Amino acid sequence: MAADRPAAGHIHPPTEIYEVSRAKIREFAEAVGADSPAHSDPAAARDLGHADVIAPATFPFLVVHRASSRVLSGPEWGLADASLVHTAQRIVPTRPVRAGDRLAVTLHVESVRRLAGRDVVRMRGEVHTDGGEHVVDTFMTFTAGGPDEKETGR
Amino acid sequence: MTAGRDYDSVAVGTVLGPLTVPVTRTDLVRYAGAAGDFNPLHFSDRSAQQAGFPSALAHGMLTMALAARLVTGWSGDPAALCDVAVRFTRPVPVPDDGVGARLDIRGTVTAKLDGRRVRVALDVRCDDVKVLGSAQAVVQLT
């Protein structure tokens, strides 16, 4: 891990906008077998009170993963993709993601510690629209490195 | 129109499922594309074996999505999940043998909460071994 890596409390600024399409929601829903018509049919979604088709609950991780992969493998963290293991995930929506959403992710570093020779990083990926509306919080835990990796000061 | 299971019809101990889901290598490739997660551990036996696994592994987030599907399917409302949390404690190897893996997913209502919500403990197994730890959801009922 990089010597001056971010610590608890660090905030990575909002990412570029990810625009959610009906086609992506449908593709994702099919990939996880979520068969509610609200994932594919705008009229069915409207009948349930949604402005457009809605995504399954774990869809936001797609958006957050793009952000967290870039940040963790970038110069600030220096964690190679291959050494990262995703060990826990929590998703707390304010509302479902829906088609037409223009989403950005702000990553908050919640904690960084060493456990059994590995780095354990907890982050909160706060997903919001480009208008500032909060959509969902995703809490992720990753571990990286190993006992054979020379550590820098912790 | 409203959707969703009636809170008053549910008690602590109410069982969700089981939902049995076969997972093949094709499913992993489809999920990789849909989710934009191209870690080769999830489609390449060579990569998985280098990391010490017998074959490519299911994405943890696919397993989580399938567990979430049990809950939303049971509730009747695709937007019913207020909170869902899991730990990925065991890998799910998906051999490229035309059969793949099989996940058995169950839930149990463990608490009735304010606001017509319930807490559900989730039990997800592959070959009778639990693959998710501390898996639970908070679900909005009607």
Side-chain angles (χ1 to χ4, degrees):
Chain A
M1 214 184 247
D4 297 321
R5 63 192 177 187
H10 183 81
I11 299 173
H12 295 282
T15 55
E16 61 182 8
I17 298 297
Y18 179 93
E19 189 162 345
V20 180
S21 70
R22 287 178 181 169
K24 194 64 185 177
I25 287 178
R26 183 178 193 141
E27 180 188 2
F28 185 90
E30 286 174 355
V32 302
D35 58 3
S36 167
H39 301 312
S40 55
D41 177 0
R46 276 194 295 275
D47 280 348
L48 295 175
H50 306 288
D52 207 320
V53 296
I54 59 169
T58 63
F59 179 91
F61 184 77
L62 179 164
V63 186
V64 175
H65 179 66
R66 292 164 65 90
S68 63
S69 297
R70 191 168 307 170
V71 161
L72 289 169
S73 63
E76 286 178 283
W77 287 90
L79 297 174
D81 264 355
S83 83
L84 281 175
V85 179
H86 185 192
T87 58
Q89 181 67 46
R90 180 180 176 204
I91 297 174
V92 185
T94 300
R95 65 155 172 87
V97 169
R98 58 181 177 247
D101 275 341
R102 291 169 49 79
L103 302 176
V105 183
T106 304
L107 285 173
H108 302 254
V109 181
E110 298 224 306
S111 66
V112 182
R113 61 202 172 93
R114 293 278 293 172
L115 188 69
R118 286 176 67 83
D119 296 297
V120 181
V121 180
R122 292 183 62 240
M123 287 188 166
R124 175 168 66 94
E126 178 195 359
V127 181
H128 42 92
T129 67
D130 60 351
E133 180 194 5
H134 185 270
V135 177
V136 53
D137 276 320
T138 67
F139 299 84
M140 303 159 282
T141 307
F142 298 96
T143 67
D148 55 341
E149 186 182 78
K150 189 66 185 165
E151 262 310 306
T152 51
R154 294 196 192 202
Chain B
M1 181 181 139
T2 58
R5 185 172 291 263
D6 180 5
Y7 175 83
D8 296 322
S9 73
V10 171
V12 170
T14 295
V15 172
L16 293 65
L19 173 67
T20 296
V21 185
V23 180
T24 65
R25 190 66 59 86
T26 303
D27 295 321
L28 301 193
V29 173
R30 180 181 292 120
Y31 183 80
D37 183 343
F38 296 103
N39 185 334
L41 199 60
H42 302 305
F43 56 81
S44 159
D45 285 339
R46 180 176 54 81
S47 293
Q49 284 160 8
Q50 279 171 0
F53 301 105
S55 64
L57 307 177
H59 304 74
M61 290 304 296
L62 173 58
T63 304
M64 185 180 191
L66 297 173
R69 185 180 124 194
L70 168 69
V71 177
T72 51
W74 171 78
S75 81
D77 176 3
L81 275 171
C82 308
D83 188 339
V84 56
V86 306
R87 289 191 300 119
F88 304 110
T89 49
R90 294 276 185 163
V92 177
V94 177
D96 182 22
D97 58 2
V99 178
R102 193 188 76 180
L103 291 174
D104 294 304
I105 306 168
R106 290 178 172 75
T108 308
V109 174
T110 55
K112 296 190 76 171
L113 308 173
D114 289 345
R116 305 185 78 78
R117 296 178 176 196
V118 296
R119 186 180 304 281
V120 172
L122 293 163
D123 182 306
V124 182
R125 291 169 191 255
C126 179
D127 294 333
D128 283 330
V129 176
K130 268 194 177 191
V131 297
L132 298 181
S134 311
Q136 58 175 345
V138 175
V139 192
Q140 180 70 59
L141 302 183
T142 58

